[in-house]
Amino acid sequence: MNPTPAIDYQQQRFMYQPCLEQTRPADAALHPVVVIGAGPVGLVTAIDLARQGIRVVLVDDDDTLSTGSRAICFAKRTLDIFDRIGCGQRMVDKGVGWNRGKVFLREEAIYEFDLLPECGHARPAFINLQQYYVEGYLLEQARQHSLIELRWKSRVSAIAHHADHEALTVETPEGS
Protein backbone atom coordinates (compact mmCIF):
# COMPACT_ATOMS: atom_id res chain seq x y z
CA MET A 1 0.00 0.00 0.00
CA ASN A 2 1.38 3.41 -0.98
CA PRO A 3 1.40 6.06 1.74
CA THR A 4 -0.62 9.21 1.13
CA PRO A 5 1.71 11.83 -0.36
CA ALA A 6 2.40 14.83 1.87
CA ILE A 7 0.62 18.00 0.88
CA ASP A 8 2.89 20.93 0.03
CA TYR A 9 0.86 23.68 1.67
CA GLN A 10 3.27 26.33 0.36
CA GLN A 11 2.55 25.44 -3.27
CA GLN A 12 -1.24 25.12 -3.19
CA ARG A 13 -3.27 27.61 -5.23
CA PHE A 14 -6.98 28.17 -4.75
CA MET A 15 -9.30 29.02 -7.60
CA TYR A 16 -11.23 32.24 -7.72
CA GLN A 17 -14.88 31.57 -8.39
CA PRO A 18 -17.53 34.22 -9.01
CA CYS A 19 -20.01 34.46 -6.16
CA LEU A 20 -23.78 34.76 -6.21
CA GLU A 21 -23.58 38.54 -5.76
CA GLN A 22 -21.78 38.70 -9.11
CA THR A 23 -23.60 36.05 -11.12
CA ARG A 24 -27.17 36.65 -9.90
CA PRO A 25 -27.27 39.89 -7.88
CA ALA A 26 -31.05 39.70 -7.46
CA ASP A 27 -30.70 36.35 -5.63
CA ALA A 28 -27.84 37.43 -3.37
CA ALA A 29 -28.52 37.09 0.33
CA LEU A 30 -27.28 39.06 3.28
CA HIS A 31 -24.49 37.28 5.11
CA PRO A 32 -24.59 37.26 8.91
CA VAL A 33 -20.78 37.24 9.15
CA VAL A 34 -17.96 38.05 6.75
CA VAL A 35 -14.46 37.21 7.99
CA ILE A 36 -11.67 39.07 6.22
CA GLY A 37 -8.44 37.11 5.87
CA ALA A 38 -7.77 33.37 5.74
CA GLY A 39 -4.82 33.42 8.13
CA PRO A 40 -4.88 31.47 11.40
CA VAL A 41 -7.19 33.94 13.18
CA GLY A 42 -9.63 34.25 10.28
CA LEU A 43 -9.82 30.50 9.72
CA VAL A 44 -10.31 29.73 13.43
CA THR A 45 -13.00 32.42 13.66
CA ALA A 46 -14.88 31.02 10.66
CA ILE A 47 -14.65 27.44 11.94
CA ASP A 48 -15.75 28.38 15.45
CA LEU A 49 -18.74 30.34 14.16
CA ALA A 50 -19.76 27.52 11.79
CA ARG A 51 -19.56 25.04 14.67
CA GLN A 52 -22.12 27.24 16.43
CA GLY A 53 -24.45 27.13 13.41
CA ILE A 54 -23.58 30.56 12.03
CA ARG A 55 -23.10 30.94 8.27
CA VAL A 56 -19.78 32.62 7.39
CA VAL A 57 -18.24 34.03 4.23
CA LEU A 58 -14.45 34.01 4.47
CA VAL A 59 -12.69 36.29 1.97
CA ASP A 60 -8.97 36.49 1.29
CA ASP A 61 -7.13 38.68 -1.19
CA ASP A 62 -4.65 35.94 -2.12
CA ASP A 63 -4.94 32.47 -3.65
CA THR A 64 -2.39 30.78 -1.37
CA LEU A 65 -1.68 29.99 2.24
CA SER A 66 1.06 31.82 4.07
CA THR A 67 4.51 31.51 2.57
CA GLY A 68 7.15 31.37 5.23
CA SER A 69 5.98 32.03 8.76
CA ARG A 70 4.70 35.15 10.43
CA ALA A 71 3.74 32.92 13.36
CA ILE A 72 5.70 29.86 14.39
CA CYS A 73 5.27 29.45 18.15
CA PHE A 74 1.85 28.50 19.51
CA ALA A 75 1.11 28.50 23.26
CA LYS A 76 -1.15 26.28 25.40
CA ARG A 77 -4.17 28.55 25.06
CA THR A 78 -3.91 28.48 21.27
CA LEU A 79 -3.53 24.70 21.38
CA ASP A 80 -6.73 24.56 23.48
CA ILE A 81 -8.52 26.50 20.72
CA PHE A 82 -7.09 24.19 18.04
CA ASP A 83 -8.34 21.22 20.12
CA ARG A 84 -11.80 22.77 20.40
CA ILE A 85 -12.15 23.14 16.65
CA GLY A 86 -10.83 19.65 15.95
CA CYS A 87 -7.23 19.87 14.73
CA GLY A 88 -5.08 20.33 17.85
CA GLN A 89 -3.66 16.81 17.96
CA ARG A 90 -2.58 16.98 14.35
CA MET A 91 -0.70 20.21 15.05
CA VAL A 92 0.94 18.86 18.19
CA ASP A 93 1.99 15.71 16.29
CA LYS A 94 3.58 17.78 13.50
CA GLY A 95 5.10 20.54 15.66
CA VAL A 96 7.98 20.56 18.10
CA GLY A 97 6.74 20.79 21.69
CA TRP A 98 8.72 22.56 24.39
CA ASN A 99 8.38 23.81 27.96
CA ARG A 100 11.81 25.32 28.66
CA GLY A 101 13.38 28.44 27.23
CA LYS A 102 16.26 30.88 27.55
CA VAL A 103 16.57 34.53 26.63
CA PHE A 104 19.99 35.74 25.53
CA LEU A 105 21.59 39.16 25.22
CA ARG A 106 24.42 38.53 22.80
CA GLU A 107 26.25 35.52 24.28
CA GLU A 108 24.86 35.86 27.81
CA ALA A 109 21.78 34.00 29.04
CA ILE A 110 19.82 36.66 30.94
CA TYR A 111 16.65 34.71 31.71
CA GLU A 112 15.62 31.06 31.84
CA PHE A 113 12.17 29.60 32.34
CA ASP A 114 10.56 26.20 32.73
CA LEU A 115 6.84 26.06 32.06
CA LEU A 116 6.06 22.61 33.32
CA PRO A 117 2.68 21.36 32.15
CA GLU A 118 -0.20 22.36 34.39
CA CYS A 119 -1.86 19.63 36.38
CA GLY A 120 -4.25 17.80 34.09
CA HIS A 121 -3.05 19.66 30.99
CA ALA A 122 -2.34 17.37 28.06
CA ARG A 123 -0.40 19.84 25.92
CA PRO A 124 3.14 21.24 26.06
CA ALA A 125 3.61 24.90 26.98
CA PHE A 126 4.40 25.70 23.33
CA ILE A 127 4.78 24.08 19.95
CA ASN A 128 6.81 25.38 17.06
CA LEU A 129 5.03 24.78 13.77
CA GLN A 130 5.34 26.64 10.49
CA GLN A 131 2.35 28.85 9.76
CA TYR A 132 1.60 27.21 6.42
CA TYR A 133 0.95 23.89 8.22
CA VAL A 134 -1.32 25.63 10.72
CA GLU A 135 -3.24 27.33 7.91
CA GLY A 136 -3.35 24.13 5.83
CA TYR A 137 -4.77 22.07 8.69
CA LEU A 138 -7.26 24.82 9.54
CA LEU A 139 -8.31 25.14 5.89
CA GLU A 140 -8.94 21.40 5.71
CA GLN A 141 -11.06 21.72 8.84
CA ALA A 142 -12.95 24.73 7.40
CA ARG A 143 -13.75 22.84 4.21
CA GLN A 144 -15.62 20.25 6.29
CA HIS A 145 -18.22 22.87 7.31
CA SER A 146 -21.05 23.54 4.88
CA LEU A 147 -21.70 26.87 6.64
CA ILE A 148 -18.34 28.30 5.50
CA GLU A 149 -18.05 29.79 2.03
CA LEU A 150 -14.43 30.46 1.02
CA ARG A 151 -13.74 33.23 -1.49
CA TRP A 152 -10.18 33.53 -2.80
CA LYS A 153 -8.73 36.50 -4.72
CA SER A 154 -11.33 38.73 -3.06
CA ARG A 155 -10.07 41.91 -1.40
CA VAL A 156 -12.33 44.07 0.74
CA SER A 157 -11.73 47.61 -0.51
CA ALA A 158 -14.46 49.49 1.37
CA ILE A 159 -16.95 49.08 4.18
CA ALA A 160 -20.06 51.26 4.34
CA HIS A 161 -21.70 51.45 7.76
CA HIS A 162 -25.51 51.36 7.98
CA ALA A 163 -27.82 51.30 10.99
CA ASP A 164 -28.63 47.59 10.60
CA HIS A 165 -25.77 46.20 8.49
CA GLU A 166 -22.41 46.77 6.89
CA ALA A 167 -21.99 46.81 3.11
CA LEU A 168 -18.66 45.57 1.79
CA THR A 169 -17.11 46.35 -1.56
CA VAL A 170 -14.98 43.43 -2.64
CA GLU A 171 -12.50 43.59 -5.52
CA THR A 172 -12.16 40.37 -7.51
CA PRO A 173 -10.51 39.38 -10.80
CA GLU A 174 -13.90 40.07 -12.43
CA GLY A 175 -14.40 43.48 -10.82
CA SER A 176 -16.24 44.73 -7.73
Side-chain angles (χ1 to χ4, degrees), residues 113-157:
F113 59 91
D114 188 350
L115 301 170
L116 295 175
E118 298 170 14
C119 182
H121 202 276
R123 297 292 182 219
F126 298 95
I127 63 165
N128 283 13
L129 181 63
Q130 295 93 332
Q131 185 170 334
Y132 51 85
Y133 285 114
V134 171
E135 290 180 9
Y137 297 167
L138 290 170
L139 179 59
E140 290 170 7
Q141 195 73 17
R143 286 181 166 161
Q144 295 177 21
H145 292 277
S146 63
L147 295 177
I148 299 175
E149 180 183 343
L150 293 156
R151 296 185 185 178
W152 300 102
K153 307 265 313 159
S154 299
R155 183 180 62 84
V156 175
S157 60

Side-chain angles (χ1 to χ4, degrees), residues 43-56 80-87 141-142 144-148:
L43 285 161
V44 166
T45 300
I47 294 165
D48 215 13
L49 288 166
R51 289 181 71 244
Q52 296 175 56
I54 300 170
R55 186 169 295 283
V56 178
D80 289 343
I81 294 168
F82 292 158
D83 280 337
R84 185 178 73 230
I85 63 169
C87 54
Q141 195 73 17
Q144 295 177 21
H145 292 277
S146 63
L147 295 177
I148 299 175

